[in-house]
Every structure is written in structure tokens, then in C-alpha cells.
Amino acid sequence: MSSKALAQPLALRVASGGFLAFWCFLAAFPIFWITVMSFKSPRDAFAANPADVIFGPVTRASGQGLSALDIVLGGTALIFALRWAFSALPKLIAKWTPPAWIVLGWLVGAAVYALAFVLAFVGILPVLLGAINGIAGPLGVPLIGLTTEHYIAVWAENAFYRNFINSMIVTAGVVTVSLTVGTLAGYGLARSGSNLAFWLLILALIFRALPHSVLVAGYLPWFINSAEILRPIFGEISPTLYGQPWAVIAVLVAINQPFTIWMLRSFFQNIPTELDEAARVDGCSHFQAFRRVIMPVMWPGVITTGLFSFLLGYNDFLVTSLLLDAQNQTMVPAIAGYFNRETTTTDQVEAVAAAVSITAPLFLLVMVFQRQIVSGLTAGAVKG
Amino acid sequence: MKFRTLVAFVGPSVFMMLLFIAAPLVSVLMQSFQVTQPVMQQIEVETCTPGFLTQTCITETKTVPLIDEETGKTQTTTTWVGLQSYRNLLQMPRVWDAISTGQWGNILQIDFWKALRFTLVFTLLTLPMVIGVGLAIALAVNNAVRSLRGPVIFISLLPFIITPVIGSLAIYWLFVGDGIITSLIERWTGNDIAMFAQAWTIELLMYVYQVWHVAPFAFVIFYAGLQTVNMDTLESAVIDGANRWERLRHVIIPHLMPLIIFIALIHLMDTYRAFEVIVGFRSQAHVISLQWLTYDFLTPDDAGNRAISRASASAMLTMIGIVVLLILPLRRTWRDHKGTT
């Protein structure tokens, strides 16, 4: 709003700012609140008074909490760790990985950083601060109740790490296969003006609309009996597809395909055709042009689409809960196991802790990739 | 690009879609006309209990599933039942009965109609709310200081990106029992409130959840659209004496119209799938959706059987529903597409 004629009166600005603040509060509050709850003892977590939930008197009385010293020292460490992640980490990754492997470098870098972060803030820091608190006197007395016992119960005793590993396998598979298959198709569709390409896109749009339960109803009988159905073809090695992570990966990739090709197509359309033509004049085949000329400039689009594939695989409840058995279960359906047991308040807070554990990676994802997510959301709508 | 090159590029993707989307659809259609049941046989079983002098023996005939001697599994037969599964689902006699006696409410006691009503109301009622709230946030962010926009977008993306089950659980925990917000309302009104004890409060919370979850998506798209509003048109509108509301009504909204259609299309597709919110809110006793109905048929019951046939019938009906729902917006897009080319 540059021109003076469009300047706004104060009342409108205040109203708009107030509305925005209210929305931000609404957007963040439920997530913030379950995070707070997950660190308290059950009686505090479900206390009727908000102040009790935040300060946790019962948790504090049992000797678990943060002292003033903890807050100052831990907070400083946290700020430094976060600043390092945004300033020094990208440089370090850029320095140690060859340019062609930059995505892999980021994945490894992020994983190592996450591991070091958890180790430092859950393993080392509490022990260190505990020792300091012991000799600090009044500064070392807990101010805010805080306990990590529910996280320890969820991850160690209930073996949630197994669900985490399963989730990672399924998500990694979905992202890799979707992108490989989807970039090829997206490129083909973007560069072909034929009727076939148009009708394929319309068909994909119709497939996009199908509720997933419709498809799962189609898979289930086949997947359960697949060993017998496939026996005439593969003999004794024919697998039962039910409960196999790779079968679920195939299903999720197919479900995700319509969305992926639409999004990648709109990204490919932004790359000028002159680029392909130049490569073709220099003697490349279509595929060589795709691989050597187009893909190197396509990374932003691929990363964005990969993010949305990740979300689909990671957030899925319906497909994974129906097609995987208990030992291969991913994180989100595993939460359902907590509902059934949820009899005591301790169980409830453990379910909250598990829910927060599932949300934490997504939080990091938005933090790092906010720009890509926004560009992905708008790619389909504004340009397509 | 030649036809063969195109086929080579799209081949793998089309193959996956045909194998895992088109083929299951055909399979579901077939299954909905068939019922697979274990073969039952009647056998005579003699049970004896020890007694004095002689033991007491009773012979009775029992119906047990026939077990295949080679594989050790129960044998099953598949019979063609035509529309029987659909009839079981729709229960038309009860519906006509309810209509003829004028007691419309009775229709909603049948699971399928209950699910259909909720899914449609949920989809159509949240649509204008999502568009309105999304537009309001987009306008407010566009008004805000530039340095604030990044953090606001970050916070706004959180409800959108969160796992739907977890998102609905987060809201559930705020309201369940004496949850923090329920006790707050109780303190204000002085009444005892149970948000999850009756259908209408659950539904109300579901609408709140859905708008919370989807409005960020509409916001981001509208926000991107607002950046491309033609400033000259806006200024000439000012010169012509249009006030703020008229500018919004006659310049900005027409400019955003294609985006509104796009959001409506995506929203219809995604909200019609309402399922996770039922799981998160644990509302199956009061409110169910079409996807949840199919899911429920597909989960094994206590005896380990899955009602595949009924699930297929309900899946087919679900599919017909989304097709009907999408015809209008798709026809509009089609006309626009033809108009531009």
C-alpha cells in the first residue's frame, strides 16, 4: 500500500492487528498447550486451573522442575544451539558435501544435529545442571515443575522408537519413489501439448478426489490372500502383502501420484522450453535433456513436492492402520493403541507425550522449509 | 514431444495409478455384489461328563466352519448377492417407513444416513467458513508490518501441517472432561458442561477443528493472490469514490475468484474424507462420517472377520457422493477452460 490514497485509518489498522494476534493465538494454543501438558505429572496436566498446568505445583513438589539457574543456563544453551543451526550448520554442510549430493548432505546433517541436540538436552545438560543445582542453594530450588518421565515411558518402555523407525521407513520410501516416478511423469506432461496428456491430468484430478477408504476396501482382500493368489506365478516365495511396509509404500505412492504430478507439472512449466530445445540441438535425447539440463534447475520444485509427499506418508492414519499389522505399525496409528489403554491419567499424559513426539519433527519441518511449503501451496493455485 | 517419448515418461506413474487406484475400484465394485462367507458344516459332537455308574453323554449337532485339510484355513465360498449389501446398508424400507409416518428423525438412526448427513453438512458448512476466515487472515497479514509477516505465516502453517489425528486430539484434550477450556466456560457460566456427551457439541467442536485445520491453506493461497492485485485498478477505484468495502467487493474478490474456486474444489475433496476427526474425538457413538463407516466395516470384529462386502458397498456409495459433489465446480472449471482456449 504505497499510495497515500490507500492509507488506512488507525481504527482499521488496530482491528486488523488485533484479529491477527487473535488468530495466531488460536493457531498456536492447542499445540503449545499439549506440549506443556506432556511435561507435567498427571495431576498438574489435567488441573482445572491454567496456572497449575503451566507451573506444575505437584510436579515441583516431587522435586522435578527447573530452577532459576536451569532456566538461565538452559535457555542460553538453547538459543546458542538454535542460532548455530541457522548460521554455522548450513555452511558446514555446504563445505563437506559435493554439490551434487547437497540434499543427502542436508538430510545427514539434520539427522546428526537432531541426535546431538537430543543427547545434549536430555542426556548431558540435566545431569550437569542437577550437579550445579545441588550446590547453588536458593537459586537451585525448582521454580517450574517439569518432568520428562512420560517421554521416557513412551520411548523406552513402550518401545515407541520402533514405531518411529517404521514411520521413517514408510515415509522415506514414499518420498523417494513418488519423486522418481512423479518427476518423469510431470516433465512428460508439462512438455507435451497432446490430448492424451490433458486427459491424463483430468483422470489424475478425479483420482485425487477419491476417499482413501474406497481404495483400501479394494486392497484388503487381495493383500490378505496375496500369498495364495500369487503362488501360481511366483511359487513358494510369494509374499503376503498384508503387513508389509513396502506394500504400504506402493499404495501411498499411488495415492499420492495425482497430486505429485500436478504439482511437479506446474513447476516444470515454469522452466522455459528453450532450455530443452538448446540441449536437444546439442544432441541430447529427451531423457538426457531431462536428466542433465532440466533436473539441475528443478531442485526447488522437487524439494517442495517431496515435502508434501513426506506429509502424506507421515500423517497417514487410514491406510497404515488397516494394511499394517501390529509389529510394523507406524507412529500415528500407534497412538490409537493409547486410546484403548487410556484408563488412568498417567496413560493419558503418556498419550499426550506420544502426540507431541509425533508433532515435533513436523514443527522442525515448517521451521526449516517454510518458504518451500508456501511456494508449493501457491504453485498449483496461482499459476496452474 | 512424440507419443512414444510421452508414454516412456508417464508410463511408470500411469502404471502405478492403474494398478493401485483403477484396479482396486473395479475390485470394490465386484466385491460389493458378492459376499464371501466361511463354508459351514453341521457335525455331530458327543460330549460326555463323568457321572456315577455311567457317564452322561449328550450328542448335539453343531455348526462349525469347514477347514481345508491342506492349508489349515477355513474354506470360504463367494456368492453373488446382487444389491443385497446395498440394501443392508441403505435399509430403504425403514427409510420409507420414516417418511410415510412423518418421523424424519428416524432415518438418521440408520448408520449410513447418519454418516451421509454429517459428511455433507460438515463439508458444505465449513466451506464458506474456511474461505471467509482464510480471506480475513490474508487481508490482515497483508496489512501487517513486513517484518511480522514471516513469523505469522510460520505460526499459521502449524495447524495445517499437523497430523490430523494429533490436531483433533489436541483440541479434544482441551475440552474433554474438565479440560482447561471446559472448566473455564464452567467458571463463567456456572453450569456443568460435558462437551463430549451429546452429538451437537461434538459437531460444533468438529467444525471449529476443521476451520482451524484448513483455514491456513486458504490463507496462504489468498495471500499469494493478494500480491498480484492490480494497483492501478485499485487506485482508479479510489478515484471513482469506492469505499473500502466496495473495493474489496468489486476489485479484490473478483481478482481472487479463480483461487476461491480452487480452494472450494480442494476443500470439497478433502473435507468429504472426514475421518481422522472421528478417531481423534472418539465420537463414533454420536457422530460418524462415510469414510469412518467403511473403515469400521474393514476393521476385524471380535471374531476376526471383516465385512468386506458391506465395506465395498459403502465405499461405492461414498464414491458416488464425491462425484455428485464435484460435478458443479468441475463443470465451471471446464467452462472457464474452454472459454480461455
Side-chain angles (χ1 to χ4, degrees), chain A residues 281-298:
Chain A
V281 168
D282 287 349
C284 281
S285 71
H286 260 302
F287 187 74
Q288 280 170 326
F290 167 74
R291 204 172 64 99
R292 294 169 186 236
V293 180
I294 304 298
M295 278 320 280
V297 293
M298 238 326 253

Side-chain angles (χ1 to χ4, degrees), chain B residues 3 9 15 17 28 41 69 95 99 109 122 142 162 166 187 271 299 301 330 334 339-341:
Chain B
F3 179 73
F9 270 109
F15 173 74
M17 286 199 279
V28 170
Q41 58 175 353
E69 286 182 359
V95 175
I99 292 174
Q109 286 172 6
F122 189 58
N142 213 27
I162 196 173
I166 308 293
R187 214 169 306 154
T271 310
T299 19
D301 60 11
L330 273 182
W334 176 245
T340 51
T341 49

Side-chain angles (χ1 to χ4, degrees), chain B residues 76-92:
Chain B
T76 55
T77 53
T78 304
T79 42
W80 188 269
V81 293
L83 292 172
Q84 190 56 49
S85 296
Y86 291 93
R87 266 181 230 126
N88 288 344
L89 210 60
L90 293 173
Q91 304 204 1
M92 287 320 274

Side-chain angles (χ1 to χ4, degrees), chain B residues 23-320:
Chain B
L25 278 185
V26 178
S27 165
V28 170
L29 183 68
M30 300 302 287
Q31 284 165 24
S32 68
F33 297 123
Q34 296 167 339
V35 169
T36 304
Q37 280 171 324
V39 180
M40 297 307 227
Q41 58 175 353
Q42 299 220 320
I43 51 167
E44 294 203 335
V45 187
E46 194 181 31
T47 39
C48 295
T49 42
F52 187 59
L53 293 180
T54 55
Q55 45 184 344
T56 337
C57 285
I58 311 163
T59 314
E60 25 173 33
T61 46
K62 273 191 178 170
T63 317
V64 291
L66 190 66
I67 293 179
D68 193 313
E69 286 182 359
E70 271 179 41
T71 57
K73 288 182 178 171
T74 46
Q75 284 188 358
T76 55
T77 53
T78 304
T79 42
W80 188 269
V81 293
L83 292 172
Q84 190 56 49
S85 296
Y86 291 93
R87 266 181 230 126
N88 288 344
L89 210 60
L90 293 173
Q91 304 204 1
M92 287 320 274
R94 273 179 73 185
V95 175
W96 293 128
D97 202 40
I99 292 174
S100 59
T101 54
Q103 286 169 315
W104 294 84
N106 286 352
I107 300 178
L108 297 181
Q109 286 172 6
I110 304 165
D111 277 349
F112 175 79
W113 297 105
K114 190 167 139 190
L116 181 71
R117 183 210 59 90
F118 169 71
T119 311
L120 287 181
V121 172
F122 189 58
T123 311
L124 296 176
L125 212 63
T126 49
L127 177 64
M129 291 199 269
V130 162
I131 289 178
V133 173
L135 187 62
I137 304 169
L139 288 170
V141 171
N142 213 27
N143 254 348
V145 194
R146 206 161 273 277
S147 60
L148 270 179
R149 294 184 189 177
V152 169
I153 294 176
F154 170 73
I155 293 172
S156 302
L157 279 177
L158 289 176
F160 170 68
I161 217 100
I162 196 173
T163 314
V165 177
I166 308 293
S168 45
L169 272 175
I171 298 208
Y172 173 79
W173 279 320
L174 294 182
F175 286 96
V176 71
D178 279 328
I180 200 75
I181 296 185
T182 317
S183 51
L184 213 66
I185 301 172
E186 278 174 355
R187 214 169 306 154
W188 277 338
T189 59
N191 295 328
D192 202 23
I193 297 169
M195 289 303 267
F196 289 90
Q198 57 278 326
W200 72 271
T201 42
I202 298 180
E203 264 193 64
L204 197 71
L205 282 183
M206 281 177 171
Y207 299 140
V208 170
Y209 160 75
Q210 191 67 14
V211 174
W212 179 74
H213 180 55
V214 190
F217 165 72
F219 148 60
V220 169
I221 287 175
F222 284 141
Y223 179 63
L226 282 179
Q227 309 308 310
T228 58
V229 171
N230 191 339
M231 277 300 156
D232 296 340
T233 325
L234 214 55
E235 276 178 34
S236 42
V238 176
I239 293 164
D240 289 347
N243 63 25
R244 247 162 248 294
W245 168 249
E246 284 165 339
R247 288 205 297 270
L248 179 71
R249 176 76 191 76
H250 295 289
V251 180
I252 296 179
I253 290 190
H255 174 77
L256 295 179
M257 210 53 203
L259 301 184
I260 293 179
I261 303 269
F262 170 78
I263 291 171
L265 203 67
I266 298 289
H267 182 83
L268 288 182
M269 289 182 187
D270 289 352
T271 310
Y272 187 75
R273 289 189 193 141
F275 166 71
E276 276 97 346
V277 69
I278 311 268
V279 176
F281 280 21
R282 276 165 260 185
S283 68
Q284 50 273 44
H286 301 285
V287 183
I288 56 173
S289 73
L290 284 172
Q291 272 227 110
W292 192 86
L293 194 67
T294 314
Y295 175 84
D296 192 39
F297 287 135
L298 286 175
T299 19
D301 60 11
D302 294 338
N305 296 318
R306 299 165 198 263
I308 299 281
S309 174
R310 271 201 208 188
S312 305
S314 110
M316 281 328 275
L317 292 172
T318 312
M319 204 184 79
I320 293 169

Side-chain angles (χ1 to χ4, degrees), chain A residues 7-9 23 26 33 48 181 208 210 212-214 217-219 221-222 228 254 257 315 317 321 342 370 378, chain B residues 13 20-21 24 27-28 31 73 143 150 153 156 163 166 174 183 187 212 224 244 270 273 275 282 291 295 319:
Chain A
Q8 295 170 322
W23 159 250
L26 278 189
W33 201 252
V181 177
R208 160 87 171 72
L210 288 178
H212 302 165
S213 65
V214 177
Y219 305 132
W222 297 96
E228 280 151 48
Q257 227 13 246
N315 286 347
F317 178 89
S321 78
E342 213 178 79
Q370 181 182 338
T378 49
Chain B
S13 171
F20 286 107
I21 300 181
S27 165
V28 170
Q31 284 165 24
K73 288 182 178 171
N143 254 348
I153 294 176
S156 302
T163 314
I166 308 293
L174 294 182
S183 51
R187 214 169 306 154
W212 179 74
R244 247 162 248 294
D270 289 352
R273 289 189 193 141
F275 166 71
R282 276 165 260 185
Q291 272 227 110
Y295 175 84
M319 204 184 79

Side-chain angles (χ1 to χ4, degrees), chain A residues 187 191 271-281 289 293-294 297:
Chain A
Y187 177 71
R191 287 295 183 260
I271 297 174
T273 28
E274 284 79 8
L275 215 59
D276 312 40
E277 280 158 16
R280 298 270 286 149
V281 168
V293 180
I294 304 298
V297 293

